[in-house]
Amino acid sequence: MNDVKLAELRRTPNALAPHYSQFQVAKRLLLSGHSHQAWPDFALEGQIEAFQDAARDVDEKWGRAFAKADEVRAGLRTFLDDPQAELALGASTHELVLRFLSALDLRRRPRIVTTLGEFHTLRRQLTRLGEAGLDVVALPVDPVDTLAERLAGAADERTAAVFVSSVLFETSRIVPGLGELAERCLLRGVELVVDAYHAIGPAAFSIPGQGLSSAWVLGGGYKYLQLGEGNCFMRVPAHAEGMRPVVTGWFAEFDALSDEHEPGKVAYGTGASRFAGATYDPTSHYRAARVFWFFAQHGLTPAFLRRVYQHHVGLLVARFDALNAPEALITRDRTTPLEGLGGFLSLRTARAGELQRALAARGVRTDSRADYLRLGPAPYLSDDQIVSAVDILGEVLRETPWT
């Protein structure tokens, strides 16, 4: 075991940085960790292994590929704190959402309740379904402290599902009260879907700890888990047994291929397999399995990573406040304590896009969403890199005529 300590990650160079030499993280100011993190060098071994297995075994490679998928599930279960979680895997959360939606009885329950703060995957798809005649209700996220309660109040007997994020993708706010929302949804026969993409990794997300055993949980490894593309999941609750998604791939009957099928009736496997898709590129799972191995070797557990992100976000907050930037131009949420934030700092400004481009021109990678400039650290960054990035933001704010 080669555990790293928080002090080793604060120094320059960061103790983890040498393991990310392909991405050159020690030489770059990558404050885009909330969007896309660097991959450890070991990830390349997984991609090479996938090619080698295909070259050696040709179509017989799938046994090894499915074993890699199981390794990915095991890694994800650790970050969900749910050792027995039934997990359907997909290349994107969108394809998993489609399979879920297609399993709902939308004729009997034609209402979907969600928020105005969901990521574009849900925003776009649910809005389009609303255009097509579904009753889609989207609540404002503010005040966040009452969001779960307001969602529960909006979920009536006509509601099929409630969609909500655990950490809001624009603001980094952790949404409280999801366990109580899950209880009320279960009592009313409403499915609760929690988007945990921005929670797993930086927020020590726990399905049992948050009372979400009856919930569906969506997420992926493109961001904080450093798994790259193609590694999304949907946690399927036990009560989903018997659901029959209309959007379904032939892998969903893998467990039943040898059984006799009733003519004209589609068969499904058990557990999460009923939400499986079809033939896919397994390279992403080979890569992800190596990354999870790397995390385990270096003690990058959910609890430890939460400490890392809290330290980094706290440092961002302190350095930004020291800039004394004009609040008319750029500000942050000063009502939410540090423990109420996920893995990035969100700064509100009408010039978010311009600031992002100005920072990029000076070597600082960030991103923006509407009126939010987002600064996302990662475990391989040193304190000095974070300080340098915010100092450059200060230079941009001082030197650019914004009026």
Side-chain angles (χ1 to χ4, degrees), residues 187-211:
L187 287 173
R188 297 175 184 175
V190 177
E191 304 295 345
L192 173 62
V193 183
V194 177
D195 182 346
Y197 219 135
H198 278 284
I200 52 173
F205 186 82
S206 172
I207 285 177
Q210 294 177 239

Side-chain angles (χ1 to χ4, degrees), residues 49-374:
E49 185 184 3
F51 185 95
Q52 291 173 334
D53 281 1
R56 182 185 60 250
D57 299 332
V58 196
D59 200 40
E60 298 300 317
K61 70 184 180 186
W62 287 104
R64 294 178 183 271
F66 293 157
K68 294 297 180 183
D70 285 340
E71 289 184 45
V72 174
R73 290 188 180 92
L76 292 169
R77 289 179 182 123
T78 296
F79 280 86
L80 295 170
D81 190 26
D82 189 1
Q84 305 303 318
E86 286 282 338
L87 299 177
L89 302 181
S92 69
T93 55
H94 182 247
E95 68 173 76
L96 295 167
V97 166
L98 287 181
R99 293 177 213 161
F100 166 78
L101 286 169
S102 75
L104 300 177
D105 186 355
L106 294 174
R107 291 188 179 90
R108 187 172 65 90
R109 289 178 173 248
R111 191 180 210 203
I112 299 289
V113 176
T114 186
T115 85
L116 293 173
E118 301 309 304
F119 187 67
H120 307 308
T121 296
L122 282 176
R123 175 195 57 77
R124 177 179 172 82
Q125 189 61 70
L126 295 183
T127 300
R128 183 65 186 90
L129 288 172
E131 291 178 346
L134 204 64
D135 180 17
V136 177
V137 178
L139 303 183
V141 295
D142 291 323
V144 176
D145 289 342
T146 66
L147 179 56
E149 182 180 355
R150 287 184 286 117
L151 288 168
D156 59 17
E157 68 281 354
R158 298 175 61 252
T159 303
V162 171
F163 288 86
V164 62
S165 291
S166 174
V167 176
L168 298 171
F169 86 100
E170 287 184 324
T171 65
S172 193
R173 281 292 310 272
I174 295 174
V175 178
L178 294 183
E180 291 82 359
L181 173 60
E183 289 181 7
R184 293 175 67 175
C185 284
L186 186 63
L187 287 173
R188 297 175 184 175
V190 177
E191 304 295 345
L192 173 62
V193 183
V194 177
D195 182 346
Y197 219 135
H198 278 284
I200 52 173
F205 186 82
S206 172
I207 285 177
Q210 294 177 239
L212 295 175
S213 61
S214 63
W216 305 71
V217 179
L218 287 168
Y222 186 73
K223 306 180 192 298
Y224 306 94
L225 298 185
Q226 305 175 8
L227 307 183
E229 299 85 351
N231 286 295
C232 292
F233 69 87
M234 179 170 67
R235 186 257 186 187
V236 179
H239 70 261
E241 194 68 32
M243 294 180 73
R244 305 179 74 248
V246 176
V247 177
T248 183
W250 73 281
F251 275 30
E253 65 177 24
F254 230 63
D255 295 346
L257 281 178
S258 60
D259 298 340
E260 290 189 10
H261 294 170
E262 180 182 341
K265 187 174 180 63
V266 173
Y268 291 85
T270 59
S273 69
R274 67 180 50 246
F275 289 89
T279 309
Y280 63 96
D281 180 357
T283 304
S284 58
H285 291 165
Y286 277 80
R287 181 179 63 242
R290 291 300 287 169
V291 173
F292 276 132
W293 173 87
F294 171 79
F295 271 40
Q297 290 297 304
H298 291 274
L300 301 179
T301 63
F304 179 73
L305 287 172
R306 175 60 173 167
R307 290 177 58 206
V308 173
Y309 283 104
Q310 283 281 277
H311 168 71
H312 280 166
V313 174
L315 182 58
L316 284 168
V317 166
R319 297 301 296 185
F320 173 75
D321 287 353
L323 296 179
N324 291 316
E327 292 197 0
L329 172 59
I330 187 168
T331 189
R332 70 173 181 88
D333 175 7
R334 299 180 185 278
T335 64
T336 303
L338 181 61
E339 58 269 22
L341 298 178
F344 64 96
L345 176 64
S346 185
L347 302 175
R348 190 154 199 173
T349 170
R351 319 300 282 271
E354 295 173 67
L355 282 170
Q356 178 193 348
R357 291 188 290 274
L359 287 168
R362 301 190 188 206
V364 181
R365 296 289 185 92
T366 63
D367 76 355
S368 60
R369 293 287 186 268
D371 288 342
Y372 294 99
L373 177 69
R374 304 191 303 174

Side-chain angles (χ1 to χ4, degrees), residues 23-25 28-33 38 363 365 376-378 380-381 385:
F23 277 77
Q24 299 184 7
V25 299
R28 306 165 75 184
L29 299 179
L30 299 176
L31 281 181
S32 51
R365 296 289 185 92
Y380 43 74
L381 293 182
Q385 288 175 292

